[in-house]
Amino acid sequence: MMVHARLSAIKGIKPHEWMIRFAFGGAVCVIAGLIAQKFGPAIGGLFLAFPAIFPASASLVEAHEKLHKARAGFDGTNRGRIVAAIDALGTAIGCIGLAGFALVFWIWLPRTRLFVVFALATLVWLTLSVGVWLMRKKHILHR
């Protein structure tokens, strides 16, 4: 599977779907802020690592796939679940990279300049995300 972006899909997103994603993302950020206020920024920051729009996005992706298949005269329930699962896998892999990014910042920021830490953290994020994606691909192909 080749990773690609389909920008034409943006046209198919309805305004209320954008609002759901925005509201859910904002709610997750507010909850993370409240947790940070109560338990400190280190704990609150962990909750910001949660992809703020993922739950709304996964349900909307599933709904779009079901609708797409229904227009073609098929039941798209299974297809919708598969596409949402693939989206969830990508989110989980991204979270692993994000955790590496955060760890580098947490360890190195008190010791080194910001731009050096940012460059190192970005490299760790990219390496982890691509590495886990490739390991997943190898694992699936060699079952």
Side-chain angles (χ1 to χ4, degrees):
M1 172 188 297
M2 182 60 130
V3 177
H4 66 280
R6 200 170 27 114
L7 298 178
S8 62
I10 293 173
K11 290 187 279 186
I13 301 174
K14 296 175 181 71
H16 76 276
E17 293 171 337
W18 286 110
M19 289 188 290
I20 289 170
R21 291 175 180 178
F22 180 78
F24 195 86
V28 169
C29 290
V30 167
I31 290 168
L34 293 172
I35 291 170
Q37 231 176 6
K38 177 126 175 117
F39 300 104
I43 302 299
L46 292 174
F47 288 89
L48 279 178
F50 177 76
I53 64 167
F54 169 69
S57 176
S59 63
L60 292 173
V61 164
E62 181 183 16
H64 274 266
E65 284 300 316
K66 283 171 132 176
L67 182 62
H68 182 71
K69 285 293 184 180
R71 286 182 185 149
F74 300 104
D75 178 21
T77 303
N78 192 42
R79 171 75 176 169
R81 288 178 183 161
I82 289 170
V83 171
I86 292 169
D87 192 43
L89 177 63
T91 300
I93 290 170
C95 285
I96 293 168
L98 184 60
F101 184 93
L103 185 64
V104 168
F105 253 87
W106 182 57
I107 291 171
W108 286 101
L109 192 57
R111 301 178 176 104
T112 312
R113 292 178 156 203
L114 176 62
F115 74 91
V116 173
V117 176
F118 188 76
L120 180 61
T122 300
L123 181 64
V124 167
W125 165 78
L126 184 63
T127 303
L128 281 172
S129 296
V130 171
V132 172
W133 182 260
L134 292 173
M135 284 178 11
R136 177 227 40 104
K137 185 175 178 182
K138 184 177 182 180
H139 177 73
I140 287 174
L141 293 176
H142 291 98
R143 277 189 171 180

